[in-house]
């Protein structure tokens, strides 16, 4: 027959149970305090701080790319501040100490495995703060091109002219040469044509320059030019002219309108482009898509080839 617990044992059990309940209630109180404080700080940051930062950046006319990067940093900072303040007020600041040790350990452990991620993040920081690399720019890199849709700290999203989206790791853009075709306020277009050796080359040059001069969106200064570029199976004559405030749509439209105009004018003069050999025409056409160049700060004219 088992002996019943003594009064001392019952008192001890009840005391331990009360202590355990009190500990859980205290923890629940701390958690509730943390959640309430976190919600208040986060709401303050989201409703007050982030709009103020956005307004300040808009007032200073900050570049859209840099503004989006700074707004992302502020959003992360608001969450971090809400966590830190919430833990401190709730009396759970010891979690921060342990979290710091854990983060340090994870950083060392994942450092080697996440080299590409870290590299993309660092590259993204450079890209976001680069004033010559912005959302909406038409760029070319590694035989690809498109318009920048978004820049994050990991990757850059580019929309191609076939309406496809390419997510490019930032490290790829910083490791390769990138052409920004719309960085400056003027863009030079070159348009090659191949004609026969029996054609009047002076008339061809005149037609190419007159067609550029007559187009309302082609600049008169620098003056359009037309020069012989190569003597192969046919004579390759290259017209050069400039457009203002370039973008990919304007570039393609003006180039197409100019091509139609010179074909009509050459036909009226009796100059047949079909007389040139197919190989010469293919070589001339290949110059087109990559012919756009930027106006540098020391470029003082458009007549130098």
């Amino acid at each position: 027959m088992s002996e019943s617990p003594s009064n001392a044992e019952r008192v001890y059990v009840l005391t331990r149970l009360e202590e355990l309940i009190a500990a859980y209630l205290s923890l629940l109180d701390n958690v509730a305090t943390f959640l309430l404080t976190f919600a208040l700080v986060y709401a303050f940051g989201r409703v007050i701080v982030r709009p103020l930062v956005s307004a300040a950046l808009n007032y200073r006319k900050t570049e859209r790319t840099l503004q989006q990067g700074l707004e992302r940093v502020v959003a992360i900072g608001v969450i971090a501040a809400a966590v830190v303040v919430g833990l401190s007020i709730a009396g759970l600041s010891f979690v921060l100490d342990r979290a710091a040790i854990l983060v340090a350990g994870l950083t060392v452990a994942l450092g080697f495995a996440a080299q590409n991620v870290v590299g993309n993040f660092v590259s993204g920081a450079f890209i976001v703060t680069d004033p010559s690399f912005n959302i909406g720019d038409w760029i070319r890199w590694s035989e690809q091109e498109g318009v920048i849709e978004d820049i994050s700290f990991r990757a850059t999203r580019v929309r191609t002219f076939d309406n496809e989206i390419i997510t490019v790791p930032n490290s790829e853009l910083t490791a390769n040469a990138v052409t920004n075709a719309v960085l400056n306020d003027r863009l030079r277009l070159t348009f090659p044509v191949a004609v026969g050796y029996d054609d009047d080359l002076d008339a061809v040059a005149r037609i190419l320059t007159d067609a550029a001069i007559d187009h309302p969106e082609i600049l008169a200064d620098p003056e359009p030019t037309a020069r012989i570029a190569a003597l192969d199976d046919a004579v390759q004559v290259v017209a050069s002219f400039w457009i203002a405030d370039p973008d990919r749509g304007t570039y393609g439209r003006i180039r197409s309108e100019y091509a139609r105009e010179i074909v009509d004018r050459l036909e009226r003069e009796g100059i047949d482009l079909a007389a040139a050999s197919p190989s010469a025409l293919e070589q001339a056409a290949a110059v087109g898509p990559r012919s756009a160049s930027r106006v540098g700060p020391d470029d003082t004219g458009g007549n130098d080839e």
Side-chain angles (χ1 to χ4, degrees):
M1 184 175 180
S2 61
E3 297 181 358
S4 60
S6 64
N7 290 335
E9 291 175 342
R10 286 197 293 268
V11 170
Y12 174 78
V13 171
L14 291 175
T15 302
R16 293 297 297 170
L17 182 61
E18 291 174 355
E19 291 175 352
L20 184 61
I21 293 174
Y24 275 111
L25 290 176
S26 176
L27 179 61
L28 289 175
D29 180 65
N30 290 339
V31 171
T33 302
F34 165 75
L35 293 176
L36 179 59
T37 306
F38 176 87
L40 291 175
V41 174
Y42 179 77
F44 176 81
R46 186 176 180 86
V47 177
I48 305 295
V49 176
R50 290 176 61 180
L52 284 177
V53 171
S54 297
L57 294 174
N58 288 329
Y59 178 78
R60 293 177 60 86
K61 297 181 180 180
T62 305
E63 180 58 45
R64 180 184 172 191
T65 303
L66 180 58
Q67 178 172 343
Q68 286 193 357
L70 292 175
E71 287 176 347
R72 287 192 179 102
V73 171
V74 171
I76 295 172
V78 166
I79 296 175
V83 171
V84 172
V85 174
L87 290 175
S88 299
I89 292 180
L92 300 173
S93 56
F94 65 90
V95 176
L96 296 175
D97 299 331
R98 296 180 181 178
I101 297 174
L102 178 61
V103 169
L106 289 175
T107 301
V108 174
L110 298 178
F112 294 101
Q115 290 183 26
N116 290 335
V117 175
V118 175
N120 288 329
F121 185 85
V122 174
S123 299
F126 284 111
I127 289 175
V128 167
T129 56
D130 186 353
S132 64
F133 197 90
N134 301 300
I135 294 172
D137 285 355
W138 164 25
I139 62 171
R140 295 194 294 263
W141 82 101
S142 301
E143 303 302 323
Q144 299 189 78
E145 63 178 325
V147 176
I148 299 173
E149 289 272 307
D150 183 59
I151 301 173
S152 68
F153 285 104
R154 187 193 67 83
T156 296
R157 191 167 66 244
V158 179
R159 182 180 296 275
T160 70
F161 302 116
D162 294 327
N163 204 35
E164 299 173 331
I165 297 295
I166 303 177
T167 300
V168 188
N170 288 327
S171 58
E172 179 178 337
L173 294 177
T174 55
N176 293 282
V178 178
T179 299
N180 190 330
V182 295
L183 180 60
N184 297 300
D185 58 358
R186 294 185 300 176
L187 179 69
R188 185 179 70 174
L189 280 68
T190 58
F191 197 96
V193 296
V195 297
Y197 281 90
D198 295 333
D199 290 319
D200 186 344
L201 298 182
D202 289 335
V204 172
R206 174 176 51 79
I207 290 171
L208 295 180
T209 54
D210 287 349
I213 292 172
D214 293 341
H215 195 289
E217 293 181 83
I218 293 177
L219 299 176
D221 183 22
E223 182 180 1
T225 62
R227 297 178 180 177
I228 296 176
L231 299 174
D232 298 312
D233 295 336
V235 180
Q236 188 178 131
V237 183
V238 178
S240 299
F241 50 86
W242 299 78
I243 62 175
D245 301 323
D247 57 47
R248 184 59 172 78
T250 302
Y251 170 88
R253 178 176 55 79
I254 293 178
R255 188 176 178 82
S256 176
E257 293 171 355
Y258 179 78
R260 290 176 179 272
E261 183 64 24
I262 63 172
V263 167
D264 292 341
R265 296 192 184 197
L266 288 172
E267 286 182 351
R268 288 198 296 267
E269 290 288 335
I271 299 172
D272 187 6
L273 293 176
S277 70
S279 61
L281 289 173
E282 289 176 3
Q283 183 179 7
V287 179
R290 293 284 167 175
S291 62
S293 61
R294 296 185 296 173
V295 185
D298 298 329
D299 233 332
T300 55
N303 296 330
D304 295 332
E305 294 294 317

